[in-house]
Amino acid sequence: MLRDYQIEICSRVREAFEKHRSVMMQMPTGTGKTVVLAEMVRQYLNSYAVGHCNSYGNGDNDAAGNGTSCAERCRVLIVAHRIELIEQMGEHLTRYDIDYGFIARGKKAEEIKPVMVASIQTISSQLNALTSTLYPSFIIIDEAHHAVAQTYRQLWDAWPEARFLGLTATPYRLSGEGFTDLFDMLVDSWTVKRFIAEGWLSAYDYYSIRPESDEQKLIDNLKKRGADGDFQMKELHETLDVVPCIERLFESFERFVCDMKGIVYAIDITHAEHIAEYYREQGVVAYAISSKTPKEERKAIVERFKSSTGGIQVLVSVDLFSEGFDCPDVEFIQMARPTLSLAKYLQMVGRGLRAHEGKECCTIIDNVGLYRMFGLPSGERNWGVYFGGLKDERMKELNNLGFDLNHNSGSFRKEGDAALVKIVGHEGMAARFKRLGRAGFERKKKDVLLSGKRKKVWVWVDTLTGITFERNPVAVDFKGVEMMTDDGLTFYPRIRSKWVDGKSGINRKALETQVGDGFGWMKRYVSLYEPDKVYELQEVMAGGMRVYKDEKGKTFFQQDLDSPLVSKEEAGGKNAFMVLCDKRLEEWKAKVWESRRNCFVHVDATTGAWCLDGGQAEKDGEFYRIVDRECWFDGNTGFVYHHRPVVRYRGFVKLVYDGDLVYIMNIHEERFIAYHNWEIRADDGICTIGNKLYLKRNKDGKALWIRKRSGDFQMFVVNEPMMVEDSQKRPLTIDVQMMIINKYGKEVEKKRIKREVNDY
């Protein structure tokens, strides 16, 4: 039986064909597009059987003009680009008891049946002959995002009277161009969020590499592009098909999914074979598989993988299973192949999102940082925009915001020096998506006052928050929270709350410089642990302690921005929580003091080797480790760390984490001073530490002291000491009051606004 959403989309497609010849249908990967395809064929054939020839096709018009009866001339042509998809379609048609034949290389030539399933390669090579034997009035193209190729385009010319239906999960082109030159309209299904909320797709855990990881640095330096606009395969292979990268892939596998069954997506066949070989050396039953694998061997491997007793745990694929592969009990997806294509990304992760009995969630391991470019698999995407084409630079820019917003994020979660961090967890995901409801966007006409006259103009309304946008907005991901924007500068959380409305936009600069496990603005706060709830800030106490209220008036406390919120009841009251914060502050000060004892190593006068209390040093990445001692040191400064140092960047600032102590390495005045993570905010031009401000262009100078600041990291009033001479030519120190202007996308400005003479 068809599911409710499948029945709904079949009905909407039928309505679309009442007005249009060519329709594209979008359904997320794993929601049963092939089932819908078979149902559409069944309905179409039945419409002829009962004499209603107008349902999808040409009515009583004979496309071939050969005088055959309505039933005899009924022909459905289904086209796909891979033999696996063709065979899968045949299996579904058989379940519907539909008589069909194949037109594909390697398939036995058959007589023309009412329904023919064809390879686009064979159709293209034999098109002239087939136009005289096939008279299709209904042509269905599977994976229709490929239909822009010339081999598909010629089908429209070959059968000008036929109706066309294109099926795809991703109506998207890497070039940004649309599909309106082939299809008249798009019929899209539910969002991935709603499918997860309704239980038709699986919830997921998502892990991604850190922005400062070795892999991300390698990927950021990839410059060459292939003919399709994606990364050049040769450069990908040379950069990532190396032992250290493959070792890190396995470390991720071993840490998160060592006992699960899943698919690894590789760059090319050689890369896939190298990954599979390395996994096997570590005791994992892994096989590389691609379109080059002999058909019978490939079929046997896939069957063993699908079988619970087949013994194969990991398949390493080269695009083979990005489309049309049906194995619902896949428990993890690991991405080892970078791409610039949103379609490829969603096809890859979609293989793991199929729901299956007993499957709690899918674990997605993003070893190539695709999340920062494309957002989460469940992110809201306006497919109508992609279908129509990103015709202007604004839409192109808006649809590539995710990477910029997350790349230099100041968030620091408690994973130690792990290369991958958890972006979002499956716990409560379906329930949370259900609470968000089925809200989307509605385009409405609104009365506005223009030039003294009332006029109706089109606006977009977010039905979840009620916020109105003058231009078509897009959804982007920020640290796991969905944000809406129509200009790329102001963002609105998609959270149903009385504290989120059209006046509660967050400036982009404020977002990019957030630190801790949440983000705050305009006395509002969202914790990344509760991404669908907003708190109101009541006061900030000494030492960074904060007091919040939720919408029900319940009080919560937060020790600092790196700490979770604690209810007043759990804390035992405000005074008890303040005592606890004071105790933790003293413990932190003691830890800082301890870290300064013996904080420098020295060179042995006899051997010339670095040493500390007699311990010898050995190289450990960027640092040295003291043999037989749990401490490391910087070879340039001799400064000692008591945990394995982890280097990260925040804007222009280079940070070294020693446990939960943070050191700034490239601002001379701040070296060797330990800070909390949440105390340091920075972008590419400015760094603030408490009330101190440093400019990148003068980072080795003295700090500027902040007198006033805006909450969005854009405006600061600072004191800058200056030496002058009085009327007697005597030296005098004055404080010049300056305004620092730090607008997004512009150079940092410094303007003098006032000066005061010191009394000394």
Side-chain angles (χ1 to χ4, degrees):
M1 294 181 62
L2 291 182
R3 299 167 179 172
D4 51 355
Y5 65 86
Q6 293 170 332
I7 295 171
E8 175 191 306
I9 201 163
C10 284
S11 175
R12 291 173 57 209
V13 169
R14 286 198 306 272
E15 292 175 2
F17 273 121
E18 291 176 1
K19 298 179 180 179
H20 302 285
R21 174 196 174 200
S22 188
V23 175
M24 177 176 273
M25 183 189 79
Q26 182 273 332
M27 292 176 66
T29 300
T31 58
K33 291 190 300 297
T34 310
V35 173
V36 170
L37 181 153
E39 172 64 15
M40 305 289 279
V41 172
R42 186 192 67 79
Q43 292 181 10
Y44 179 74
L45 295 177
N46 287 347
S47 72
Y48 274 101
V50 297
H52 298 103
C53 301
N54 291 330
S55 297
Y56 294 100
N58 304 295
D60 292 323
N61 295 324
D62 186 349
N66 61 2
T68 57
S69 69
C70 184
E72 288 175 336
R73 72 171 181 261
C74 172
R75 295 288 183 265
V76 178
L77 178 62
I78 305 172
V79 182
H81 70 292
R82 281 210 329 268
I83 193 65
E84 289 81 10
L85 298 174
I86 291 169
E87 291 175 344
Q88 186 184 87
M89 280 181 244
E91 292 171 3
H92 280 81
L93 294 172
T94 299
R95 292 173 194 165
Y96 274 76
D97 199 25
I98 294 173
D99 190 19
Y100 68 93
F102 284 117
I103 303 174
R105 184 176 300 171
K107 294 289 184 182
K108 182 180 177 182
E110 302 181 52
E111 64 181 64
I112 301 300
K113 302 286 184 68
V115 178
M116 299 301 294
V117 184
S119 154
I120 184 59
Q121 293 85 356
T122 304
I123 285 280
S124 179
S125 63
Q126 302 177 18
L127 190 59
N128 291 335
L130 290 172
T131 52
S132 61
T133 56
L134 290 180
Y135 309 111
S137 52
F138 189 30
I139 298 175
I140 302 175
I141 298 175
D142 195 26
E143 305 297 351
H145 49 280
H146 295 294
V148 294
Q150 183 57 36
T151 49
Y152 285 94
R153 288 178 177 274
Q154 56 190 348
L155 302 183
W156 272 260
D157 297 327
W159 290 287
E161 299 298 322
R163 298 286 177 97
F164 283 81
L165 174 64
L167 281 68
T168 182
T170 50
Y172 165 89
R173 295 172 68 179
L174 190 57
S175 65
E177 297 176 47
F179 296 86
T180 53
D181 51 342
L182 293 176
F183 297 96
D184 302 321
M185 73 169 293
L186 174 73
V187 177
D188 56 348
S189 187
W190 297 353
T191 64
V192 171
K193 268 194 178 72
R194 184 173 172 187
F195 277 113
I196 292 175
E198 302 283 349
W200 296 119
L201 287 179
S202 170
Y204 60 90
D205 291 333
Y206 198 106
Y207 297 89
S208 182
I209 55 175
R210 294 183 184 274
E212 69 278 4
S213 66
D214 292 337
E215 263 74 12
Q216 191 64 66
K217 291 175 184 176
L218 290 172
I219 293 164
D220 291 345
N221 288 326
L222 294 171
K223 304 300 181 186
K224 298 179 181 178
R225 301 292 180 263
D228 61 353
D230 207 341
F231 292 117
Q232 186 196 73
M233 297 301 292
K234 181 181 178 183
E235 188 180 25
L236 279 179
H237 177 77
E238 292 173 348
T239 303
L240 297 177
D241 188 14
V242 294
V243 172
C245 290
I246 294 175
E247 288 177 342
R248 286 192 286 267
L249 287 177
F250 184 78
E251 288 171 5
S252 304
F253 165 85
E254 192 172 40
R255 180 182 176 196
F256 298 114
V257 294
C258 63
D259 58 348
M260 299 182 190
K261 180 170 85 172
I263 300 172
V264 180
Y265 285 98
I267 296 166
D268 55 21
I269 296 172
T270 306
H271 188 218
E273 291 172 345
H274 289 164
I275 294 172
E277 181 181 6
Y278 187 84
Y279 278 39
R280 285 195 299 270
E281 289 173 354
Q282 314 309 313
V284 178
V285 183
Y287 281 80
I289 189 169
S290 71
S291 57
K292 302 297 183 183
T293 307
K295 182 180 176 183
E296 292 305 316
E297 179 185 347
R298 187 167 72 223
K299 184 176 180 181
I301 292 173
V302 170
E303 290 305 316
R304 284 181 59 193
F305 178 71
K306 289 183 176 182
S307 170
S308 59
T309 59
I312 297 180
Q313 182 182 354
V314 176
L315 286 184
V316 187
S317 169
V318 185
D319 280 346
L320 188 62
F321 300 128
S322 59
E323 298 168 333
F325 178 69
D326 187 11
C327 186
D329 65 340
V330 165
E331 297 171 285
F332 80 86
I333 297 293
Q334 185 173 26
M335 291 177 287
R337 180 252 162 87
T339 181
L340 296 170
S341 169
L342 172 64
K344 287 181 180 177
Y345 166 66
L346 293 179
Q347 294 281 358
M348 286 190 287
V349 297
R351 295 304 120 195
L353 296 184
R354 293 175 186 269
H356 184 68
E357 185 178 353
K359 177 179 172 180
E360 184 179 15
C361 72
C362 173
T363 300
I364 300 172
I365 306 176
D366 182 358
N367 287 98
V368 287
L370 296 180
Y371 146 76
R372 273 181 290 276
M373 185 175 293
F374 301 121
L376 293 168
S378 55
E380 298 278 351
R381 294 176 174 87
N382 189 336
W383 290 118
V385 171
Y386 291 107
F387 174 79
L390 304 179
K391 297 182 177 67
D392 59 64
E393 291 301 315
R394 181 184 77 91
M395 292 307 298
K396 287 183 181 179
E397 191 173 312
L398 288 182
N399 282 278
N400 287 290
L401 277 175
F403 179 78
D404 291 332
L405 288 178
N406 289 282
H407 184 63
N408 288 320
S409 164
S411 178
F412 173 65
R413 308 220 181 166
K414 309 297 187 291
E415 286 95 356
D417 60 353
L420 276 83
V421 292
K422 191 172 187 177
I423 305 301
V424 68
H426 74 279
E427 299 87 354
M429 181 179 285
R432 180 160 58 88
F433 288 171
K434 199 147 196 162
R435 286 198 303 273
L436 289 175
R438 302 175 179 179
F441 284 86
E442 292 181 359
R443 197 174 180 214
K444 295 182 177 180
K445 281 198 169 182
K446 178 183 178 182
D447 282 327
V448 297
L449 190 63
L450 292 175
S451 303
K453 295 182 179 179
R454 286 275 173 192
K455 292 186 179 180
K456 287 186 177 293
V457 297
W458 285 106
V459 295
W460 283 262
V461 181
D462 181 356
T463 57
L464 179 68
T465 63
I467 295 173
T468 299
F469 297 90
E470 295 182 2
R471 298 185 291 180
N472 196 347
V474 299
V476 296
D477 172 80
F478 175 70
K479 298 197 226 178
V481 178
E482 188 173 286
M483 313 288 284
M484 305 306 302
T485 180
D486 67 349
D487 61 6
L489 296 176
T490 305
F491 297 80
Y492 300 85
R494 289 206 78 213
I495 302 173
R496 184 177 283 129
S497 167
K498 68 180 182 181
W499 292 317
V500 174
D501 55 28
K503 298 179 181 179
S504 60
I506 310 172
N507 179 273
R508 179 167 180 169
K509 182 69 73 174
L511 270 186
E512 291 181 335
T513 55
Q514 295 286 328
V515 292
D517 283 321
F519 58 92
W521 81 108
M522 295 170 63
K523 294 192 175 182
R524 298 165 173 86
Y525 179 77
V526 175
S527 167
L528 300 185
Y529 299 106
E530 298 176 289
D532 59 343
K533 189 173 182 179
V534 182
Y535 296 87
E536 186 179 56
L537 179 65
Q538 303 298 303
E539 60 179 321
V540 180
M541 311 291 290
M545 175 184 157
R546 293 161 178 257
V547 182
Y548 299 92
K549 285 190 181 295
D550 66 8
E551 294 191 42
K552 296 179 180 179
K554 190 175 179 180
T555 300
F556 292 80
F557 303 127
Q558 184 184 37
Q559 180 182 342
D560 54 55
L561 293 173
D562 280 338
S563 303
L565 272 63
V566 180
S567 70
K568 184 177 181 179
E569 293 74 18
E570 291 176 302
K574 184 175 181 180
N575 290 337
F577 192 75
M578 290 177 67
V579 170
L580 177 63
C581 290
D582 290 341
K583 180 182 177 183
R584 290 174 177 170
L585 180 60
E586 290 304 315
E587 291 173 351
W588 191 83
K589 288 179 178 178
K591 186 183 295 185
V592 172
W593 176 253
E594 179 64 27
S595 73
R596 293 185 179 183
R597 294 176 56 195
N598 299 320
C599 63
F600 290 92
V601 297
H602 60 276
V603 178
D604 187 280
T606 304
T607 65
W610 287 100
C611 60
L612 176 65
D613 296 338
Q616 294 298 309
E618 63 179 21
K619 187 73 172 172
D620 184 9
E622 189 174 333
F623 299 90
Y624 291 85
R625 185 175 71 87
I626 302 295
V627 179
D628 299 327
R629 293 281 302 277
E630 278 302 307
C631 61
W632 288 256
F633 70 91
D634 185 332
N636 295 317
T637 64
F639 190 74
V640 174
Y641 302 97
H642 298 274
H643 302 78
R644 188 175 189 276
V646 179
V647 177
R648 299 194 181 97
Y649 285 85
R650 188 172 300 163
F652 76 89
V653 180
K654 181 179 181 180
L655 305 175
V656 175
Y657 286 79
D658 179 11
D660 56 1
L661 304 181
V662 186
Y663 296 91
I664 298 174
M665 300 306 295
N666 60 344
I667 298 179
H668 184 78
E669 195 175 77
E670 298 295 334
R671 292 198 305 173
F672 316 130
I673 301 175
Y675 288 103
H676 292 98
N677 173 72
W678 56 268
E679 292 181 280
I680 305 166
R681 293 182 69 178
D683 62 11
D684 289 335
I686 285 179
C687 171
T688 64
I689 310 163
N691 284 327
K692 294 185 289 185
L693 182 147
Y694 292 92
L695 297 172
K696 178 183 179 181
R697 63 182 181 230
N698 190 30
K699 65 178 184 294
D700 292 329
K702 293 288 185 181
L704 304 177
W705 287 93
I706 301 172
R707 293 172 60 101
K708 297 179 182 178
R709 72 179 86 200
S710 63
D712 57 8
F713 211 72
Q714 291 196 108
M715 303 283 287
F716 302 87
V717 176
V718 299
N719 278 355
E720 184 171 7
M722 183 177 293
M723 293 294 296
V724 296
E725 292 181 344
D726 64 10
S727 58
Q728 305 296 321
K729 301 293 184 178
R730 292 174 298 187
L732 192 67
T733 301
I734 66 171
D735 273 348
V736 178
Q737 201 168 110
M738 308 291 289
M739 178 171 284
I740 306 295
I741 304 171
N742 187 31
K743 297 287 187 181
Y744 177 79
K746 296 182 179 180
E747 290 291 326
V748 178
E749 294 183 62
K750 187 162 63 168
K751 295 182 178 179
R752 182 170 175 172
I753 55 176
K754 186 180 179 182
R755 74 179 190 177
E756 299 171 351
V757 178
N758 289 339
D759 292 328
Y760 60 88

